Amino acid sequence: MKNSVPLTTMIWFAGLSMLGFLATDMYLPAFESIRLEMGTTQSMIGLSLTVFLLGMALGQIVYGPLSDRIGRIKVLVGGMVLFSVATAACFMADSIEVFLAARFVQALGACSASVIWQAVVIDRYDSKTSQRVFATIMPLVALSPALAPLAGAALEAHFGWRSIFIALVGLGAVLAFTTLRQPESAPVASTDENMGNKLVSDYKHIISSRKFIGNMLIFAGCSAAFFAWLTGSPFVMTEMGYSGADIGMSYVPQTIAFIVGGYSCRALLNKYDGSALLPWFVGLFIASVSAIFLVSWQTDVTNIWPVLIPFCFLAVANGAIYPIVVNKALETFKSCSATAAGLLNFLQTMICFVASGIVSALAAQGLLTVSAVMMGAAASVALGLILSWNVNRVAAEDNAQAA
């Protein structure tokens, strides 16, 4: 196991981790331009985001087992090629039907990156180093939703909306080329073992792990609370009288807070094990959600700051929690790390879908709906901590003794 990571590899990890978010967010400012050129409705353009998220969720449970079987590099290069070809189809699309189909396939390519980079980290590095890698990369991911729409808006203003997809084709090509220069990290698979039997065995092993389920619930609950806010806050702020520019600017302090949490966690991991830090950050998360719920329940909120301030503390907690729980969920599954990563991301995405869907369906109830869904997510986080606490603690003691 390695305990140092070259800068070029860290840049590669960062590019892979951000790809899905860039493909999700860069074209958002061009929604109206695309709608007018294709002569379609707002709901159909909105569907292009929905089908992309669906493709991201479904593809992750395929790439994991596939890369465990035939190798990370082959599968990842294939995913990047598929992403680039589908993105080129988005660029050339002249009807909404073609555009929707291309977006779905584009997501199937992009999600290979989000699964496999996590698996490569688990393959190559010991537990302490992999925690530091996740704590370095994951805060950078938070920049994607903030910067991608700005980059997309600049491209659309100067070169038209199709230029956004040209830029994404270029990014996919660069990542494919960079991937070819990386060594294979997957454990050697037995060619004598039936793939179907191996997959069933791996899934049974993963699902039966309290450590995996507990850390997954924490990861998914924290993410679901975040998605509930992202889904509902535009409606809430519009009702309060804020402009679109104000709504956009409200995400800046959240992004900064997430980055602060991530890099604070990275610094603390140099002195403490993640298992010792996790309950404190989970406590901060639950306290922040509770504050948002109490403010929205007890008062008639007409200004966003009474809830935005505790949400920023929630973002700090999430930035610190993510690298710890992702590492803890996956570190046991060295022989099938991509399968575990794919399942982890799939379950997290689907729970976020549920949270976002509830907020969307009950948007008329405003902040109360958002805060209630966030409280439900906090319950998931608390349950996950209970399930994983003892297992994480024992594993940390074993690692300390081994060191």
Side-chain angles (χ1 to χ4, degrees):
M1 287 287 164
K2 300 179 182 179
N3 57 14
S4 63
V5 189
L7 177 60
T8 53
T9 301
M10 291 294 283
I11 294 172
W12 179 58
F13 286 151
L16 293 174
S17 68
M18 295 170 71
L19 181 64
F21 293 95
L22 293 174
T24 301
D25 297 331
M26 272 186 76
Y27 85 124
L28 297 180
F31 264 20
E32 185 62 13
S33 298
I34 299 171
R35 186 189 72 81
L36 291 173
E37 185 168 327
M38 293 188 177
T40 188
T41 64
Q42 289 181 338
S43 60
M44 290 298 288
I45 293 296
L47 189 59
S48 68
L49 181 59
T50 303
V51 299
F52 185 89
L53 294 174
L54 179 62
M56 285 287 290
L58 296 177
Q60 291 180 99
I61 58 175
V62 175
Y63 282 112
L66 192 62
S67 73
D68 278 338
R69 183 70 177 182
I70 67 175
R72 314 288 186 235
I73 302 303
K74 292 178 183 177
V75 173
L76 185 52
V77 169
M80 292 301 93
V81 170
L82 180 63
F83 171 82
S84 298
V85 170
T87 305
C90 292
F91 162 74
M92 295 184 289
D94 57 3
S95 70
I96 189 60
E97 291 79 13
V98 173
F99 188 72
L100 290 175
R103 282 286 289 170
F104 181 77
V105 178
Q106 184 191 37
L108 293 178
C111 68
S112 64
S114 60
V115 171
I116 293 175
W117 86 268
Q118 294 177 355
V120 172
V121 172
I122 295 297
D123 293 341
R124 289 184 180 178
Y125 306 110
D126 60 53
S127 179
K128 196 166 185 64
T129 304
S130 60
Q131 277 192 146
R132 289 199 301 269
V133 172
F134 286 131
T136 301
I137 298 299
M138 288 185 170
L140 296 176
V141 175
L143 290 173
S144 305
L147 298 181
L150 297 177
L155 286 170
E156 195 249 343
H158 289 90
F159 307 107
W161 69 266
R162 294 181 190 271
S163 65
I164 296 170
F165 293 96
I166 295 176
L168 289 172
V169 169
L171 178 59
V174 168
L175 287 173
F177 175 77
T178 309
T179 299
L180 286 170
R181 299 173 63 86
Q182 291 286 328
E184 180 57 65
S185 66
V188 178
S190 172
T191 55
D192 297 329
E193 189 171 7
N194 180 274
M195 185 174 182
N197 293 338
K198 175 70 164 56
L199 185 58
V200 170
S201 174
D202 286 343
Y203 275 134
K204 284 182 177 179
H205 179 42
I206 296 166
I207 292 296
S208 64
S209 168
R210 285 184 59 184
K211 183 178 180 180
F212 176 85
I213 295 298
N215 286 290
M216 182 276 295
L217 286 173
I218 298 173
F219 184 38
C222 290
S223 301
F226 215 94
F227 268 83
W229 175 266
L230 293 179
T231 303
S233 58
F235 301 111
V236 171
M237 292 186 69
T238 299
E239 285 293 317
M240 292 179 179
Y242 289 96
S243 68
D246 293 331
I247 294 170
M249 287 299 295
S250 74
Y251 298 116
V252 174
Q254 303 165 32
T255 301
I256 294 171
F258 188 94
I259 293 170
V260 168
Y263 285 115
S264 297
C265 175
R266 188 182 190 281
L268 289 169
L269 286 171
N270 291 324
K271 295 183 178 181
Y272 307 101
D273 186 83
S275 299
L277 298 172
L278 184 59
W280 294 97
F281 289 124
V282 167
L284 177 60
F285 171 87
I286 293 175
S288 301
V289 172
S290 300
I292 293 170
F293 180 76
L294 289 173
V295 168
S296 63
W297 186 265
Q298 296 292 333
T299 62
D300 182 17
V301 185
T302 58
N303 185 294
I304 196 63
W305 285 106
V307 287
L308 183 57
I309 289 173
F311 187 82
C312 287
F313 282 100
L314 180 151
V316 170
N318 277 12
I321 288 169
Y322 285 178
I324 296 173
V325 296
V326 169
N327 183 69
K328 292 295 182 186
L330 301 180
E331 65 182 357
T332 308
F333 307 105
K334 296 285 185 182
S335 63
C336 57
S337 56
T339 299
L343 184 60
L344 175 70
N345 291 334
F346 170 75
L347 293 172
Q348 179 246 7
T349 303
M350 295 309 295
I351 290 173
C352 289
F353 268 133
V354 172
S356 179
I358 293 172
V359 172
S360 296
L362 302 175
Q365 303 302 316
L367 190 57
L368 278 176
T369 296
V370 175
S371 61
V373 171
M374 292 173 73
M375 282 297 289
S380 168
V381 172
L383 176 61
L385 183 65
I386 292 169
L387 288 174
S388 64
W389 165 243
N390 190 56
V391 182
N392 283 344
R393 182 178 57 80
V394 171
E397 291 173 356
D398 290 344
N399 289 337
Q401 291 174 1

PDB file of all heavy atoms in Angstrom, residues 114-135:
ATOM      1  N   SER A 114     -17.072   8.801 -11.523  1.00  0.00           N
ATOM      2  CA  SER A 114     -17.410   8.993 -10.113  1.00  0.00           C
ATOM      3  C   SER A 114     -17.261   7.712  -9.309  1.00  0.00           C
ATOM      4  O   SER A 114     -16.978   7.753  -8.105  1.00  0.00           O
ATOM      5  CB  SER A 114     -18.838   9.541  -9.981  1.00  0.00           C
ATOM      6  OG  SER A 114     -19.778   8.658 -10.536  1.00  0.00           O
ATOM      7  N   VAL A 115     -17.454   6.555  -9.953  1.00  0.00           N
ATOM      8  CA  VAL A 115     -17.287   5.279  -9.258  1.00  0.00           C
ATOM      9  C   VAL A 115     -15.817   4.887  -9.182  1.00  0.00           C
ATOM     10  O   VAL A 115     -15.292   4.543  -8.114  1.00  0.00           O
ATOM     11  CB  VAL A 115     -18.073   4.163  -9.980  1.00  0.00           C
ATOM     12  CG1 VAL A 115     -17.714   2.801  -9.399  1.00  0.00           C
ATOM     13  CG2 VAL A 115     -19.559   4.397  -9.872  1.00  0.00           C
ATOM     14  N   ILE A 116     -15.128   4.960 -10.312  1.00  0.00           N
ATOM     15  CA  ILE A 116     -13.818   4.320 -10.414  1.00  0.00           C
ATOM     16  C   ILE A 116     -12.729   5.099  -9.692  1.00  0.00           C
ATOM     17  O   ILE A 116     -11.804   4.503  -9.125  1.00  0.00           O
ATOM     18  CB  ILE A 116     -13.481   4.055 -11.894  1.00  0.00           C
ATOM     19  CG1 ILE A 116     -14.451   2.997 -12.447  1.00  0.00           C
ATOM     20  CG2 ILE A 116     -12.039   3.589 -12.061  1.00  0.00           C
ATOM     21  CD1 ILE A 116     -14.331   2.719 -13.919  1.00  0.00           C
ATOM     22  N   TRP A 117     -12.822   6.440  -9.652  1.00  0.00           N
ATOM     23  CA  TRP A 117     -11.754   7.148  -8.940  1.00  0.00           C
ATOM     24  C   TRP A 117     -11.738   6.783  -7.462  1.00  0.00           C
ATOM     25  O   TRP A 117     -10.670   6.646  -6.850  1.00  0.00           O
ATOM     26  CB  TRP A 117     -11.860   8.662  -9.155  1.00  0.00           C
ATOM     27  CG  TRP A 117     -12.772   9.417  -8.223  1.00  0.00           C
ATOM     28  CD1 TRP A 117     -14.083   9.710  -8.412  1.00  0.00           C
ATOM     29  CD2 TRP A 117     -12.418  10.000  -6.949  1.00  0.00           C
ATOM     30  NE1 TRP A 117     -14.591  10.434  -7.348  1.00  0.00           N
ATOM     31  CE2 TRP A 117     -13.589  10.630  -6.444  1.00  0.00           C
ATOM     32  CE3 TRP A 117     -11.244  10.064  -6.198  1.00  0.00           C
ATOM     33  CZ2 TRP A 117     -13.613  11.299  -5.224  1.00  0.00           C
ATOM     34  CZ3 TRP A 117     -11.267  10.725  -4.968  1.00  0.00           C
ATOM     35  CH2 TRP A 117     -12.436  11.335  -4.509  1.00  0.00           C
ATOM     36  N   GLN A 118     -12.927   6.584  -6.875  1.00  0.00           N
ATOM     37  CA  GLN A 118     -12.989   6.187  -5.471  1.00  0.00           C
ATOM     38  C   GLN A 118     -12.385   4.792  -5.282  1.00  0.00           C
ATOM     39  O   GLN A 118     -11.652   4.543  -4.310  1.00  0.00           O
ATOM     40  CB  GLN A 118     -14.433   6.203  -4.980  1.00  0.00           C
ATOM     41  CG  GLN A 118     -15.055   7.588  -4.946  1.00  0.00           C
ATOM     42  CD  GLN A 118     -16.527   7.554  -4.522  1.00  0.00           C
ATOM     43  OE1 GLN A 118     -17.110   6.496  -4.339  1.00  0.00           O
ATOM     44  NE2 GLN A 118     -17.112   8.733  -4.360  1.00  0.00           N
ATOM     45  N   ALA A 119     -12.681   3.886  -6.218  1.00  0.00           N
ATOM     46  CA  ALA A 119     -12.147   2.531  -6.126  1.00  0.00           C
ATOM     47  C   ALA A 119     -10.628   2.521  -6.252  1.00  0.00           C
ATOM     48  O   ALA A 119      -9.938   1.772  -5.553  1.00  0.00           O
ATOM     49  CB  ALA A 119     -12.779   1.654  -7.212  1.00  0.00           C
ATOM     50  N   VAL A 120     -10.085   3.345  -7.147  1.00  0.00           N
ATOM     51  CA  VAL A 120      -8.632   3.413  -7.323  1.00  0.00           C
ATOM     52  C   VAL A 120      -7.959   3.889  -6.036  1.00  0.00           C
ATOM     53  O   VAL A 120      -6.903   3.364  -5.637  1.00  0.00           O
ATOM     54  CB  VAL A 120      -8.268   4.340  -8.504  1.00  0.00           C
ATOM     55  CG1 VAL A 120      -6.752   4.562  -8.564  1.00  0.00           C
ATOM     56  CG2 VAL A 120      -8.755   3.751  -9.819  1.00  0.00           C
ATOM     57  N   VAL A 121      -8.556   4.876  -5.368  1.00  0.00           N
ATOM     58  CA  VAL A 121      -8.003   5.354  -4.098  1.00  0.00           C
ATOM     59  C   VAL A 121      -7.951   4.217  -3.083  1.00  0.00           C
ATOM     60  O   VAL A 121      -6.930   4.016  -2.397  1.00  0.00           O
ATOM     61  CB  VAL A 121      -8.833   6.539  -3.556  1.00  0.00           C
ATOM     62  CG1 VAL A 121      -8.385   6.913  -2.143  1.00  0.00           C
ATOM     63  CG2 VAL A 121      -8.711   7.746  -4.471  1.00  0.00           C
ATOM     64  N   ILE A 122      -9.035   3.467  -2.966  1.00  0.00           N
ATOM     65  CA  ILE A 122      -9.079   2.351  -2.015  1.00  0.00           C
ATOM     66  C   ILE A 122      -8.082   1.261  -2.410  1.00  0.00           C
ATOM     67  O   ILE A 122      -7.422   0.668  -1.548  1.00  0.00           O
ATOM     68  CB  ILE A 122     -10.512   1.769  -1.944  1.00  0.00           C
ATOM     69  CG1 ILE A 122     -11.483   2.813  -1.373  1.00  0.00           C
ATOM     70  CG2 ILE A 122     -10.538   0.489  -1.112  1.00  0.00           C
ATOM     71  CD1 ILE A 122     -11.175   3.238   0.049  1.00  0.00           C
ATOM     72  N   ASP A 123      -7.928   1.000  -3.724  1.00  0.00           N
ATOM     73  CA  ASP A 123      -6.982  -0.014  -4.200  1.00  0.00           C
ATOM     74  C   ASP A 123      -5.549   0.331  -3.824  1.00  0.00           C
ATOM     75  O   ASP A 123      -4.783  -0.526  -3.374  1.00  0.00           O
ATOM     76  CB  ASP A 123      -7.035  -0.131  -5.731  1.00  0.00           C
ATOM     77  CG  ASP A 123      -8.351  -0.690  -6.250  1.00  0.00           C
ATOM     78  OD1 ASP A 123      -9.080  -1.318  -5.458  1.00  0.00           O
ATOM     79  OD2 ASP A 123      -8.631  -0.498  -7.444  1.00  0.00           O
ATOM     80  N   ARG A 124      -5.177   1.579  -4.034  1.00  0.00           N
ATOM     81  CA  ARG A 124      -3.763   1.955  -4.006  1.00  0.00           C
ATOM     82  C   ARG A 124      -3.219   2.319  -2.635  1.00  0.00           C
ATOM     83  O   ARG A 124      -2.023   2.130  -2.371  1.00  0.00           O
ATOM     84  CB  ARG A 124      -3.529   3.161  -4.933  1.00  0.00           C
ATOM     85  CG  ARG A 124      -3.644   2.850  -6.407  1.00  0.00           C
ATOM     86  CD  ARG A 124      -3.285   4.099  -7.215  1.00  0.00           C
ATOM     87  NE  ARG A 124      -3.381   3.853  -8.652  1.00  0.00           N
ATOM     88  CZ  ARG A 124      -3.165   4.783  -9.575  1.00  0.00           C
ATOM     89  NH1 ARG A 124      -2.844   6.014  -9.194  1.00  0.00           N
ATOM     90  NH2 ARG A 124      -3.271   4.496 -10.857  1.00  0.00           N
ATOM     91  N   TYR A 125      -4.063   2.868  -1.755  1.00  0.00           N
ATOM     92  CA  TYR A 125      -3.522   3.518  -0.561  1.00  0.00           C
ATOM     93  C   TYR A 125      -4.045   2.893   0.717  1.00  0.00           C
ATOM     94  O   TYR A 125      -5.129   2.301   0.743  1.00  0.00           O
ATOM     95  CB  TYR A 125      -3.865   5.015  -0.591  1.00  0.00           C
ATOM     96  CG  TYR A 125      -3.428   5.681  -1.871  1.00  0.00           C
ATOM     97  CD1 TYR A 125      -4.365   6.119  -2.803  1.00  0.00           C
ATOM     98  CD2 TYR A 125      -2.074   5.839  -2.180  1.00  0.00           C
ATOM     99  CE1 TYR A 125      -3.974   6.708  -3.998  1.00  0.00           C
ATOM    100  CE2 TYR A 125      -1.671   6.427  -3.370  1.00  0.00           C
ATOM    101  CZ  TYR A 125      -2.625   6.856  -4.283  1.00  0.00           C
ATOM    102  OH  TYR A 125      -2.238   7.421  -5.464  1.00  0.00           O
ATOM    103  N   ASP A 126      -3.240   3.043   1.777  1.00  0.00           N
ATOM    104  CA  ASP A 126      -3.689   2.576   3.080  1.00  0.00           C
ATOM    105  C   ASP A 126      -4.810   3.476   3.589  1.00  0.00           C
ATOM    106  O   ASP A 126      -5.085   4.539   3.024  1.00  0.00           O
ATOM    107  CB  ASP A 126      -2.524   2.542   4.073  1.00  0.00           C
ATOM    108  CG  ASP A 126      -1.872   3.905   4.281  1.00  0.00           C
ATOM    109  OD1 ASP A 126      -2.589   4.873   4.598  1.00  0.00           O
ATOM    110  OD2 ASP A 126      -0.641   4.014   4.107  1.00  0.00           O
ATOM    111  N   SER A 127      -5.444   3.050   4.687  1.00  0.00           N
ATOM    112  CA  SER A 127      -6.656   3.726   5.141  1.00  0.00           C
ATOM    113  C   SER A 127      -6.416   5.194   5.479  1.00  0.00           C
ATOM    114  O   SER A 127      -7.209   6.067   5.124  1.00  0.00           O
ATOM    115  CB  SER A 127      -7.219   3.001   6.370  1.00  0.00           C
ATOM    116  OG  SER A 127      -8.376   3.646   6.852  1.00  0.00           O
ATOM    117  N   LYS A 128      -5.312   5.501   6.159  1.00  0.00           N
ATOM    118  CA  LYS A 128      -5.054   6.881   6.573  1.00  0.00           C
ATOM    119  C   LYS A 128      -4.787   7.772   5.357  1.00  0.00           C
ATOM    120  O   LYS A 128      -5.275   8.903   5.279  1.00  0.00           O
ATOM    121  CB  LYS A 128      -3.871   6.924   7.533  1.00  0.00           C
ATOM    122  CG  LYS A 128      -3.764   8.222   8.317  1.00  0.00           C
ATOM    123  CD  LYS A 128      -2.808   8.094   9.474  1.00  0.00           C
ATOM    124  CE  LYS A 128      -2.795   9.350  10.339  1.00  0.00           C
ATOM    125  NZ  LYS A 128      -4.078   9.605  10.998  1.00  0.00           N
ATOM    126  N   THR A 129      -4.027   7.246   4.387  1.00  0.00           N
ATOM    127  CA  THR A 129      -3.741   8.023   3.182  1.00  0.00           C
ATOM    128  C   THR A 129      -4.998   8.229   2.347  1.00  0.00           C
ATOM    129  O   THR A 129      -5.242   9.334   1.830  1.00  0.00           O
ATOM    130  CB  THR A 129      -2.664   7.321   2.333  1.00  0.00           C
ATOM    131  OG1 THR A 129      -1.493   7.104   3.123  1.00  0.00           O
ATOM    132  CG2 THR A 129      -2.294   8.155   1.111  1.00  0.00           C
ATOM    133  N   SER A 130      -5.811   7.191   2.221  1.00  0.00           N
ATOM    134  CA  SER A 130      -7.029   7.328   1.410  1.00  0.00           C
ATOM    135  C   SER A 130      -7.985   8.346   2.034  1.00  0.00           C
ATOM    136  O   SER A 130      -8.650   9.102   1.311  1.00  0.00           O
ATOM    137  CB  SER A 130      -7.718   5.971   1.242  1.00  0.00           C
ATOM    138  OG  SER A 130      -8.103   5.413   2.488  1.00  0.00           O
ATOM    139  N   GLN A 131      -8.042   8.404   3.379  1.00  0.00           N
ATOM    140  CA  GLN A 131      -8.862   9.433   4.025  1.00  0.00           C
ATOM    141  C   GLN A 131      -8.375  10.825   3.657  1.00  0.00           C
ATOM    142  O   GLN A 131      -9.163  11.736   3.392  1.00  0.00           O
ATOM    143  CB  GLN A 131      -8.839   9.271   5.544  1.00  0.00           C
ATOM    144  CG  GLN A 131      -9.816   8.248   6.074  1.00  0.00           C
ATOM    145  CD  GLN A 131      -9.991   8.319   7.581  1.00  0.00           C
ATOM    146  OE1 GLN A 131     -11.074   8.069   8.083  1.00  0.00           O
ATOM    147  NE2 GLN A 131      -8.948   8.643   8.313  1.00  0.00           N
ATOM    148  N   ARG A 132      -7.050  11.017   3.631  1.00  0.00           N
ATOM    149  CA  ARG A 132      -6.494  12.323   3.276  1.00  0.00           C
ATOM    150  C   ARG A 132      -6.784  12.666   1.816  1.00  0.00           C
ATOM    151  O   ARG A 132      -7.047  13.828   1.487  1.00  0.00           O
ATOM    152  CB  ARG A 132      -4.989  12.367   3.541  1.00  0.00           C
ATOM    153  CG  ARG A 132      -4.618  12.388   5.011  1.00  0.00           C
ATOM    154  CD  ARG A 132      -3.200  12.885   5.222  1.00  0.00           C
ATOM    155  NE  ARG A 132      -2.220  12.051   4.533  1.00  0.00           N
ATOM    156  CZ  ARG A 132      -1.621  11.002   5.070  1.00  0.00           C
ATOM    157  NH1 ARG A 132      -1.894  10.653   6.316  1.00  0.00           N
ATOM    158  NH2 ARG A 132      -0.737  10.305   4.388  1.00  0.00           N
ATOM    159  N   VAL A 133      -6.737  11.659   0.933  1.00  0.00           N
ATOM    160  CA  VAL A 133      -7.044  11.897  -0.480  1.00  0.00           C
ATOM    161  C   VAL A 133      -8.497  12.341  -0.631  1.00  0.00           C
ATOM    162  O   VAL A 133      -8.796  13.344  -1.299  1.00  0.00           O
ATOM    163  CB  VAL A 133      -6.781  10.632  -1.325  1.00  0.00           C
ATOM    164  CG1 VAL A 133      -7.287  10.834  -2.760  1.00  0.00           C
ATOM    165  CG2 VAL A 133      -5.295  10.294  -1.343  1.00  0.00           C
ATOM    166  N   PHE A 134      -9.413  11.623   0.013  1.00  0.00           N
ATOM    167  CA  PHE A 134     -10.832  12.004  -0.066  1.00  0.00           C
ATOM    168  C   PHE A 134     -11.050  13.399   0.521  1.00  0.00           C
ATOM    169  O   PHE A 134     -11.840  14.187  -0.009  1.00  0.00           O
ATOM    170  CB  PHE A 134     -11.692  10.980   0.680  1.00  0.00           C
ATOM    171  CG  PHE A 134     -11.860   9.669  -0.036  1.00  0.00           C
ATOM    172  CD1 PHE A 134     -11.645   8.465   0.612  1.00  0.00           C
ATOM    173  CD2 PHE A 134     -12.226   9.631  -1.377  1.00  0.00           C
ATOM    174  CE1 PHE A 134     -11.797   7.251  -0.043  1.00  0.00           C
ATOM    175  CE2 PHE A 134     -12.386   8.425  -2.044  1.00  0.00           C
ATOM    176  CZ  PHE A 134     -12.171   7.230  -1.380  1.00  0.00           C
ATOM    177  N   ALA A 135     -10.345  13.708   1.616  1.00  0.00           N
ATOM    178  CA  ALA A 135     -10.514  15.010   2.250  1.00  0.00           C
ATOM    179  C   ALA A 135      -9.913  16.137   1.409  1.00  0.00           C
ATOM    180  O   ALA A 135     -10.280  17.296   1.575  1.00  0.00           O
ATOM    181  CB  ALA A 135      -9.875  15.010   3.636  1.00  0.00           C
TER     182      ALA A 135
END
